[in-house]
């Protein structure tokens, strides 16, 4: 870690004027390294040498659907690398590896970003809203990690008012410095506090900030959380196979990690788009020698801000996953989250609905599953259907089903829009 921290600080000390040269050098080095030392990547590229960065093919998760041992670079084995597995939220989970120095750089980056808000990983107490394995060994292993990380993990598979009362009691009895976890779970806690008319810092004054990750953060949810927690809410965007990708800085900008990653926005034909244009997020890990992630399509769609520079790229907007697209009867394609945005603006007006998901089951049919104290009225349902007709198109059919709780993934994440169309 000492070596990685020193290297990270050295990277940060590079001037704005020299930063493009740094990025170009690291890109060249990592490509040459894997073309020379990684048989799998060399076969994927199809030639031993590349003269132009834009000649490099785009990697996707499907390229990794073979044993990890066949994807490792020369000199690396399963015993001398960090190994983990992606959650598979894009539909293609896979096992990946990082060399130890690359993994240490990831942690140097995380420590640096949290430090922007006065969080010290060695001493700050974390309230953790994350999923956890339910099998005995996996559960105990994660609980031990939590102890070592000075964190307390709340279960997120049951967030009923009865359970949230117990969560609140923990905040009264423990001096938490920050909250960290899945957006949807933490929003539920904020809504619970709103109902009880409690600001969290009134009972837990040690709290400094809240960091949300892994799911979309909507502007109105951020406002609610900041009001009910009494602290800043920070938006994190990352991928376990890569690193922190973007982290909200104290100036309220979503600052992209340019120290260890190179982020591009591409169109459907793999052309690089100018800043300000929406496209696929493609990322290169500049330091992972064990396993290539070079021009890797992470499966997300976003926009880089026009004011971005090589040293300080800013993520203007994260739109959602490329596989969350609704295809409508007219042939129109729309991001699934459009349905969610429109519905959310109406469905949560009165504070009755706690959370909901939308599923596309047929080309013209959508199911809305929701958790609420009272069932939606006929008037509310008509308002939602009218709004969706206005924003998208007419002739769509909706069913609304009230649930006691929503089905989450094994990791505990909640996906707001799911297309079941093939």
């Amino acid at each position: 870690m000492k070596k990685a921290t020193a290297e990270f600080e050295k990277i940060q000390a590079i001037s704005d004027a020299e930063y493009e040269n740094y990025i170009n050098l690291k890109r060249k080095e990592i490509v040459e390294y894997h073309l020379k030392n990684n048989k799998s990547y060399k076969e994927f590229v199809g030639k031993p040498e590349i003269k132009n960065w834009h000649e490099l093919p785009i990697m996707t998760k499907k390229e990794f659907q073979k044993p990890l041992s066949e994807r490792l670079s020369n000199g690396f084995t399963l015993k001398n690398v960090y190994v983990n597995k992606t959650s598979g939220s894009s539909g293609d989970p896979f096992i990946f590896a990082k060399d130890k120095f690359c993994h240490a750089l990831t942690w140097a980056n995380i420590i640096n970003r949290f430090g922007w808000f006065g969080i010290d990983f060695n001493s700050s107490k974390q309230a953790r809203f994350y999923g956890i394995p339910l099998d005995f060994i996996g559960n105990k292993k994660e609980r031990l990690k939590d102890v070592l990380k000075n964190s307390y993990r709340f279960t997120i598979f049951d967030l009923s008012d009865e359970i949230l009362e117990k969560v609140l009691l923990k905040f009264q009895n423990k001096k938490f410095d920050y909250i960290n976890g899945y957006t949807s779970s933490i929003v539920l806690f904020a809504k619970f506090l709103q109902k009880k008319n409690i600001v969290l810092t009134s009972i837990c004054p040690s709290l400094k900030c809240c960091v949300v990750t892994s799911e979309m953060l909507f502007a109105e949810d951020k406002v609610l959380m900041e009001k009910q927690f009494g602290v800043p809410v920070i938006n994190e965007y990352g991928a376990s196979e890569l690193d922190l990708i973007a982290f909200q800085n104290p100036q309220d900008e979503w600052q992209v990690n340019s120290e260890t990653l190179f982020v591009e926005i591409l169109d459907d034909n793999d052309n690089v788009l100018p800043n300000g244009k929406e496209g696929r997020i493609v990322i290169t890990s500049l330091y992972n020698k064990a396993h290539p992630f070079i021009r890797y399509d992470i499966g997300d769609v976003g926009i880089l801000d026009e004011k971005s520079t090589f040293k300080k790229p800013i993520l203007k907007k994260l739109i959602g996953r490329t596989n969350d697209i609704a295809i409508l009867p007219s042939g129109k394609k729309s991001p699934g989250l459009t349905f969610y945005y429109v519905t959310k603006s109406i469905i949560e007006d009165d504070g009755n609905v706690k959370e909901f998901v939308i599923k596309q089951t047929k080309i013209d049919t959508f199911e809305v599953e929701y958790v609420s104290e009272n069932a939606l009225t006929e008037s509310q349902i008509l308002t939602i259907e009218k709004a969706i007709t206005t924003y998208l198109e007419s002739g769509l059919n909706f069913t609304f089903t009230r649930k006691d709780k929503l089905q989450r993934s094994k990791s505990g994440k909640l996906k707001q829009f799911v297309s079941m169309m093939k």
Side-chain angles (χ1 to χ4, degrees):
M1 272 305 299
K2 285 183 180 178
K3 184 181 174 186
T5 301
E7 180 66 22
F8 194 81
E9 290 172 354
K10 185 178 169 185
I11 295 166
Q12 289 190 314
I14 299 170
S15 69
D16 288 25
E18 289 297 316
Y19 217 81
E20 184 176 355
N21 290 335
Y22 159 73
I23 293 292
N24 289 336
L25 177 64
K26 296 311 296 182
R27 289 192 323 189
K28 185 171 182 287
E29 284 179 358
I30 200 68
V31 170
E32 288 178 351
Y33 181 88
H34 284 300
L35 285 176
K36 183 179 178 183
N37 295 285
N38 192 291
K39 182 185 175 186
S40 176
Y41 186 67
K42 189 175 178 179
E43 289 174 354
F44 172 68
V45 172
K47 41 188 164 181
E49 188 179 347
I50 291 287
K51 293 182 180 178
N52 187 329
W53 174 257
H54 303 295
E55 291 177 37
L56 286 167
I58 306 302
M59 304 184 83
T60 68
K61 289 178 173 66
K62 289 182 180 175
E63 267 74 68
F64 307 132
Q65 303 299 319
K66 58 182 175 180
L68 178 59
S69 58
E70 295 177 19
R71 292 181 269 125
L72 293 177
S73 300
N74 296 338
F76 293 100
T77 68
L78 297 178
K79 293 183 178 179
N80 67 3
V81 295
Y82 166 76
V83 177
N84 205 343
K85 185 178 181 179
T86 67
S87 65
S89 57
S90 64
D92 295 305
F94 66 92
I95 296 170
F96 65 90
K98 294 182 186 179
D99 61 78
K100 297 290 179 68
F101 182 68
C102 176
H103 187 49
L105 270 178
T106 295
W107 276 102
N109 184 16
I110 292 168
I111 290 166
N112 175 261
R113 293 326 195 228
F114 276 75
W116 286 347
F117 296 89
I119 300 303
D120 183 340
F121 268 59
N122 293 319
S123 59
S124 298
K125 183 78 174 172
Q126 177 187 168
R128 192 170 178 82
F129 287 76
Y130 269 75
I132 191 167
L134 299 178
D135 65 283
F136 182 80
I137 293 174
N139 188 280
K140 294 301 177 188
K141 192 182 287 186
E142 288 304 311
R143 291 291 183 194
L144 177 59
K145 286 182 187 177
D146 288 338
V147 170
L148 296 174
K149 290 178 183 174
N150 197 24
S151 69
Y152 182 88
R153 189 182 307 222
F154 296 104
T155 179
I156 60 173
F157 296 104
D158 181 1
L159 290 168
S160 60
D161 284 1
E162 184 182 351
I163 296 296
L164 290 174
E165 285 285 0
K166 294 176 182 178
V167 171
L168 185 58
L169 193 60
K170 282 289 180 188
F171 275 91
Q172 286 177 319
N173 297 329
K174 287 184 179 288
K175 293 183 178 180
F176 289 115
D177 291 284
Y178 66 110
I179 299 168
N180 189 13
Y182 297 157
T183 312
S184 62
S185 302
I186 299 173
V187 168
L188 271 183
F189 184 44
K191 289 180 179 179
F192 170 77
L193 293 174
Q194 183 185 45
K195 192 166 65 174
K196 293 180 72 73
N197 198 25
I198 293 173
V199 174
L200 197 54
T201 46
S202 68
I203 62 166
C204 185
S206 56
L207 201 63
K208 294 187 180 77
C209 64
C210 168
V211 181
V212 295
T213 190
S214 295
E215 300 166 338
M216 296 292 286
L217 173 63
F218 299 99
E220 55 271 38
D221 287 339
K222 183 177 180 180
V223 170
L224 170 70
M225 286 188 283
E226 290 189 331
K227 180 184 176 185
Q228 296 306 140
F229 297 154
V231 296
V233 171
I234 300 143
N235 202 359
E236 176 191 279
Y237 170 42
S240 56
E241 67 268 36
L242 295 167
D243 202 327
L244 273 184
I245 300 169
F247 198 84
Q248 183 185 316
N249 65 26
Q251 290 74 49
D252 206 24
E253 300 165 316
W254 218 357
Q255 187 167 328
V256 173
N257 166 16
S258 66
E259 289 92 342
T260 69
L261 303 177
F262 174 64
V263 176
E264 301 173 271
I265 305 293
L266 305 186
D267 66 16
D268 290 339
N269 297 314
D270 297 341
N271 299 310
V272 178
L273 291 167
N275 293 341
K277 296 293 183 182
E278 172 189 320
R280 295 149 49 220
I281 299 176
V282 173
I283 302 177
T284 298
S285 179
L286 299 171
Y287 284 87
N288 193 353
K289 292 183 175 179
H291 187 296
F293 287 101
I294 297 170
R295 304 200 86 196
Y296 163 56
D297 188 334
I298 193 170
D300 290 336
V301 176
I303 303 170
L304 284 177
D305 199 289
E306 291 88 340
K307 64 185 177 185
S308 295
T309 64
F310 274 92
K311 184 164 186 177
K312 191 181 175 183
I314 302 296
L315 188 62
K316 186 174 186 176
K317 192 174 183 183
L318 181 63
I319 290 148
R321 302 205 68 86
T322 51
N323 63 335
D324 291 339
I325 301 295
I327 300 172
L328 305 179
S330 66
K332 179 180 178 180
K333 292 182 180 180
S334 177
L337 282 173
T338 304
F339 287 87
Y340 191 81
Y341 283 125
V342 174
T343 307
K344 185 179 178 68
S345 65
I346 301 161
I347 210 170
E348 295 186 337
D349 270 355
D350 61 359
N352 172 44
V353 176
K354 294 180 179 180
E355 57 181 353
F356 68 99
V357 295
I358 299 177
K359 298 178 181 179
Q360 183 178 19
T361 56
K362 298 177 184 175
I363 196 163
D364 64 348
T365 305
F366 298 81
E367 292 181 2
V368 180
E369 295 181 351
Y370 65 97
V371 177
S372 67
E373 293 180 7
N374 304 300
L376 288 173
T377 65
E378 195 65 37
S379 172
Q380 285 175 308
I381 289 171
L382 287 172
T383 303
I384 292 166
E385 291 176 346
K386 184 179 178 182
I388 288 174
T389 297
T390 302
Y391 281 94
L392 295 157
E393 64 182 58
S394 58
L396 302 177
N397 303 307
F398 286 85
T399 60
F400 294 81
T401 308
R402 188 178 167 209
K403 300 267 189 177
D404 291 329
K405 62 180 180 180
L406 298 179
Q407 189 71 39
R408 284 176 152 78
S409 69
K410 287 182 180 179
S411 66
K413 295 178 187 176
L414 182 69
K415 200 168 184 184
Q416 286 95 352
F417 176 85
V418 180
S419 175
M420 301 169 81
M421 302 284 292
K422 296 296 183 185

